[in-house]
Amino acid sequence: MMGENVQENTQKKRKFAVPHVYILLLAIIAIFAILSYIMPASVYDTKTIDGREIIQASTWHTVAKTPVSLMQFLTAVPRGMQESAQIIFFIFIVGGSFTVVQETRAIEAGMGKLVQALKGKTIVILPIVMVLFSLGGSVFGMAEETIPFIPIFVALCLAMGYDSMTGAAIVLCGAGAGFAGAFINPFTIQVAQGISELPLLSGMSFRIVMYLCMVALATVFVCRYALKIKKDPQKSLMYEFDQTREDTVQLEDLKEFTGKDAAILIVFLAAIILLIFGVIHYKWYMDEIAALFFGMSMIIAVIDRMGFNKYAETFGAGMAGIASGALVVGFARGILVVLNDANNLHTILHASAAGLSHLPSMASAVGMYIFQCLLNYLVPSGSGQAAVSMPIMAPLGDLVGVNRQVACIAFQLGDGISNIFTPTSGYFMAGLALAKIPWAKWAKWILPLIGLEYLLGLVFVIVAQAINLGPF
């Protein structure tokens, strides 16, 4: 009988699943709605400086309580969706546009051409592929888009004498390092800077240095491992399983790289250059950037001879595929809606500022970074995490001597590093499943790299605060 009870308890434990991010956010909304009956209501006066609403630290005062009603709680998410409409639809347009690019398979063909050209120099292929994927992570937030490439590069790495871990790593670690150290990423940097009322893509030179260091660290880590496995395959964590694999691939089977693919990649590159130019010289914001990507997708569809209906279906599928992540922004905004309904947001800011006021501003910056690192395990969506945290972190930074650019740096690094480690990251777990690599083996292999990236991120936050990295 005791044995049966133990077995039942074990089965119950195994059935436990991490709550969906929507459930977590709804729970937070409910908690703050309940706390509105207990927490003091208060406000700061604000002043517009350089187009930004800045809290005036000496003006905090309490006001009459306005507890959140049941209807206010139930409408928090719809109102959050409305307030975040520009960000949400920006994500939809960008997601649909890049799905059109992916549908052409031009990127896949280009990488296949590269691998074929360097067939005799296999170790050179690894850093080149990682840099290419890192640019994808940095420029357009490549995450879910990596999934189709993982089985291809796992098979290619096995054919070149490496292991499946190497194949998955050059894709995931490359894109992950680029995502964490991104200098353009519309889903993280631009959303966070928009919420923080900073000029879009400001601080780019600092972020480029971050990007180069993050990618260099990940590339050295993966290539050292690959050379070790090439020398002694039995040192691979996947050695026994890789011996039984049948999903191999021949280079000749890859999609042929044609003039059409070259033209598509040229248009794609031109769009990225125009994005940077438009943001810097014409102060483009989300509407203009979305329009640029939208136009790019149309031109690429014409080059690919996709046809009107297929283009519409592909674009729609891309928006549908990213819908869950995009709508996280609205759910997250619901937290801010409830806090504003109850006049509790400034109460939290005041309490946090009081707790940090006795600490050096450097310690506050580091605390923000640690908070963002931990938050990413609960809210793995980059744009969703920005929507949850930046409305609080940006004005909090004003109060404790951490400027908003540094707060955005802390968010970006804290959000990006663990995306290829946390089991709450859906695309990452899907990628591991396609690579047929158990999460436990991957975690054992990547933990040293994650630790080093966290330390490197900490260094960048400290440097950004030390030089008082400004809004421009």
Side-chain angles (χ1 to χ4, degrees):
M1 182 69 72
M2 186 177 294
E4 290 178 0
N5 290 335
V6 170
Q7 187 175 1
E8 287 178 5
N9 290 334
T10 302
Q11 289 176 349
K12 288 180 181 178
K13 288 180 181 179
R14 286 177 180 171
K15 289 180 180 178
F16 174 77
V18 177
H20 192 282
V21 65
Y22 289 175
I23 301 302
L24 289 171
L25 293 173
L26 281 172
I28 295 172
I29 294 172
I31 289 169
F32 280 121
I34 294 169
L35 287 176
S36 69
Y37 289 84
I38 305 169
M39 193 182 302
S42 65
V43 295
Y44 282 101
D45 293 337
T46 61
K47 185 178 181 180
T48 301
I49 301 177
D50 296 329
R52 292 181 294 150
E53 289 290 328
I54 303 296
I55 285 175
Q56 303 300 294
S58 61
T59 64
W60 181 80
H61 57 280
T62 59
V63 295
K65 283 187 180 181
T66 53
V68 175
S69 67
L70 177 60
M71 183 56 69
Q72 285 175 306
F73 165 70
L74 293 174
T75 61
V77 170
R79 287 183 288 151
M81 297 283 184
Q82 294 168 27
E83 292 183 11
S84 307
Q86 185 182 37
I87 296 174
I88 292 171
F89 288 107
F90 171 78
I91 294 170
F92 276 135
I93 296 295
V94 174
S97 299
F98 284 115
T99 301
V100 172
V101 177
Q102 187 179 356
E103 178 68 19
T104 68
R105 298 180 64 196
I107 296 176
E108 176 188 330
M111 288 189 173
K113 179 71 173 178
L114 175 66
V115 170
Q116 289 174 340
L118 297 172
K119 187 176 180 180
K121 303 175 182 178
T122 56
I123 193 59
V124 178
I125 294 173
L126 305 188
I128 292 176
V129 170
M130 287 190 70
V131 168
L132 291 173
F133 275 108
S134 74
L135 287 171
S138 179
V139 171
F140 63 91
M142 192 176 199
E144 289 85 353
E145 296 83 0
T146 61
I147 293 175
F149 294 101
I150 290 173
I152 295 172
F153 281 98
V154 165
L156 284 174
C157 282
L158 288 170
M160 292 186 294
Y162 303 109
D163 65 347
S164 55
M165 195 76 77
T166 304
I170 60 176
V171 178
L172 292 171
C173 295
F179 194 100
F183 49 87
I184 293 180
N185 193 342
F187 301 112
T188 55
I189 296 172
Q190 295 179 44
V191 171
Q193 289 185 330
I195 293 171
S196 302
E197 299 178 309
L198 291 171
L200 291 190
L201 301 186
S202 54
M204 183 179 288
S205 57
F206 187 85
R207 285 184 170 84
I208 289 175
V209 175
M210 283 194 340
Y211 163 79
L212 293 173
C213 292
M214 279 289 178
V215 174
L217 173 61
T219 301
V220 170
F221 184 88
V222 173
C223 289
R224 282 189 62 189
Y225 172 80
L227 287 171
K228 182 177 75 172
I229 299 306
K230 184 86 167 180
K231 185 176 180 180
D232 185 1
Q234 294 189 17
K235 290 185 177 179
S236 167
L237 293 174
M238 296 296 296
Y239 176 73
E240 292 182 2
F241 179 75
D242 284 347
Q243 301 306 303
T244 65
R245 282 181 179 269
E246 297 179 357
D247 51 343
T248 57
V249 70
Q250 300 298 321
L251 296 181
E252 294 75 17
D253 295 334
L254 293 174
K255 182 181 183 294
E256 181 183 357
F257 187 71
T258 64
K260 182 178 70 174
D261 296 317
I264 289 171
L265 293 180
I266 290 171
V267 171
F268 178 72
L269 179 61
I272 299 305
I273 295 172
L274 185 56
L275 164 65
I276 298 171
F277 182 80
V279 168
I280 294 174
H281 289 278
Y282 296 110
K283 308 301 179 185
W284 282 358
Y285 197 56
M286 291 186 185
D287 289 346
E288 292 82 4
I289 295 170
L292 172 64
F293 287 132
F294 196 21
M296 176 202 71
S297 71
M298 294 178 186
I299 295 171
I300 286 175
V302 170
I303 295 173
D304 192 58
R305 298 176 184 174
M306 193 172 286
F308 293 119
N309 287 343
K310 186 177 179 183
Y311 167 73
E313 291 169 0
T314 303
F315 195 89
M319 290 193 291
I322 206 168
S324 180
L327 294 177
V328 168
V329 176
F331 276 79
R333 185 74 178 191
I335 299 171
L336 188 62
V337 167
V338 165
L339 288 173
N340 283 330
D341 283 348
N343 284 318
N344 286 158
L345 176 60
H346 287 185
T347 302
I348 294 172
L349 288 175
H350 179 73
S352 301
L356 295 173
S357 61
H358 302 295
L359 298 176
S361 58
M362 182 66 75
S364 299
V366 171
M368 286 183 176
Y369 171 63
I370 293 172
F371 169 78
Q372 297 286 11
C373 290
L374 296 175
L375 181 61
N376 196 48
Y377 288 91
L378 294 177
V379 186
S381 163
S383 51
Q385 185 171 335
V388 170
S389 62
M390 293 316 298
I392 295 176
M393 290 296 149
L396 177 60
D398 295 338
L399 295 172
V400 298
V402 179
N403 74 53
R404 296 187 177 197
Q405 193 72 266
V406 177
C408 284
I409 292 288
F411 151 73
Q412 175 186 336
L413 292 166
D415 164 72
I417 291 173
S418 64
N419 284 338
I420 56 170
F421 171 72
T422 172
T424 57
S425 176
Y427 88 89
F428 156 65
M429 295 301 287
L432 282 190
L434 284 176
K436 300 176 183 177
I437 297 174
W439 180 82
K441 288 185 180 292
W442 175 266
K444 181 179 179 180
W445 176 81
I446 204 174
L447 264 176
L449 176 60
I450 296 295
L452 291 171
E453 288 185 344
Y454 273 138
L455 288 175
L456 182 58
L458 177 62
V459 169
F460 277 114
V461 170
I462 291 173
V463 171
Q465 178 63 21
I467 66 175
N468 193 28
L469 184 65
F472 297 100

